[in-house]
Amino acid sequence: MRKIIPIKFKATGKTYFFDPLQFDIKKGDRVIVETSRGVEIGTAVSGIREIDEAEMHTTLKGVTRPANERDLARDSENKRRQEEAFEICRKKIEAHKLDMKLVEVEYTFDGSKILFYFTADGRVDFRELVKDLANVFRTRIELRQIGVRDEAKSMGSIGVCGRSLCCSAWLDDFVSVSIKMAKEQGLSLNPSKISGACGRLMCCLKYEQDTYEELMRRMPRTEQKVKTPDGAGTVVSVNLLKGTVSVETEQGTEKVIKEYPVGEVKAVKPRKREKGAPQERG
């Protein structure tokens, strides 16, 4: 078994795994680690875990040390400087008349680089802006264009359900969502009904998709011929959540539509053509 510690660098960011080495790290502890971006300070999502060595696909970097008071003070100072940098950059964007929206500013832990995250409809020539910012902050400047989903994740909001957006509360990675999911779940295809705060299809469509697909496997198709307690009929509609099927049957000279539990409806299988029998031609 191998010991690991899950670390997050942002409340809404991804979870990364490190080797705790000899340190006794508890949930919520702040730690200093070395990443591809340099030295960073993160927060332990939980205590130390143990996993099978076979599940390890990469070599884990070790925790440098638990964060001390000096590290925490530097982190607080970086956050304060980020707010100032945000206002300065926003004004510079206006001065350069660039069609872009600043979303977030991030200082690296050691202050060697400042990252500015922005959204824009297309490509933006921000070379002069970078030079201007470098002259102000006297450090490395990096501008990164992000999507509208990333913007919603970073800024946070309240969804139509009345709860915080999943992406800003707990969702590590964005899931792939398609309009097909909305159709299969019987939802209105009105964009205002199935779009999130970011303007894209709501991530929660994905959460229930597996359940809907399982329910659909148990249901007959619309217009399929079936047998019911009242005789043969044709499926008019199905209600996946209630587990019922609406079937149109002929009762005497009238056609009647009645709802049945799916367990009372059996699909009529087409008769197989006997081996050697001639095919009908239209």
Side-chain angles (χ1 to χ4, degrees), residues 88-97 129 132-133 136:
I88 292 172
C89 183
R90 186 179 61 80
K91 291 177 181 178
K92 294 292 183 183
I93 290 172
E94 292 179 358
H96 286 275
K97 298 181 179 179
L129 174 62
D132 207 351
L133 293 172
V136 173

Side-chain angles (χ1 to χ4, degrees), residues 116-127:
F116 297 87
Y117 299 90
F118 70 94
T119 59
D121 292 334
R123 293 177 64 88
V124 179
D125 184 357
F126 48 70
R127 287 174 293 183

Side-chain angles (χ1 to χ4, degrees), residues 126-252:
F126 48 70
R127 287 174 293 183
E128 293 302 318
L129 174 62
V130 171
K131 293 178 183 178
D132 207 351
L133 293 172
N135 288 332
V136 173
F137 297 105
R138 300 295 179 180
T139 189
R140 290 177 58 196
I141 302 295
E142 185 173 326
L143 270 73
R144 292 185 181 179
Q145 185 170 354
I146 61 175
V148 289
R149 297 177 89 186
D150 296 291
E151 179 185 7
K153 181 181 181 71
S154 175
M155 301 188 70
S157 184
I158 302 297
V160 293
C161 58
R163 298 171 65 92
S164 297
L165 299 181
C166 296
C167 60
S168 63
W170 59 270
L171 192 64
D172 283 351
D173 291 309
F174 290 113
V175 293
S176 178
V177 187
S178 67
I179 195 69
K180 178 185 176 184
M181 295 178 184
K183 292 179 180 178
E184 291 180 344
Q185 293 175 30
L187 300 176
S188 167
L189 299 185
N190 184 336
S192 64
K193 300 291 186 181
I194 57 177
S195 299
C198 61
R200 300 289 189 266
L201 292 172
M202 292 187 294
C203 294
C204 53
L205 292 177
K206 175 66 175 178
Y207 307 156
E208 299 176 355
Q209 184 61 19
D210 291 343
T211 300
Y212 275 91
E213 289 177 357
E214 178 61 29
L215 292 174
M216 284 189 288
R217 280 193 283 269
R218 304 175 187 175
M219 289 286 191
R221 300 184 306 275
T222 303
E223 299 185 358
Q224 185 174 1
K225 301 297 182 182
V226 294
K227 290 182 179 179
T228 73
D230 299 313
T234 304
V235 176
V236 176
S237 64
V238 298
N239 190 315
L240 295 177
L241 299 182
K242 288 176 63 179
T244 59
V245 183
S246 295
V247 181
E248 181 183 84
T249 59
E250 292 186 3
Q251 305 297 323

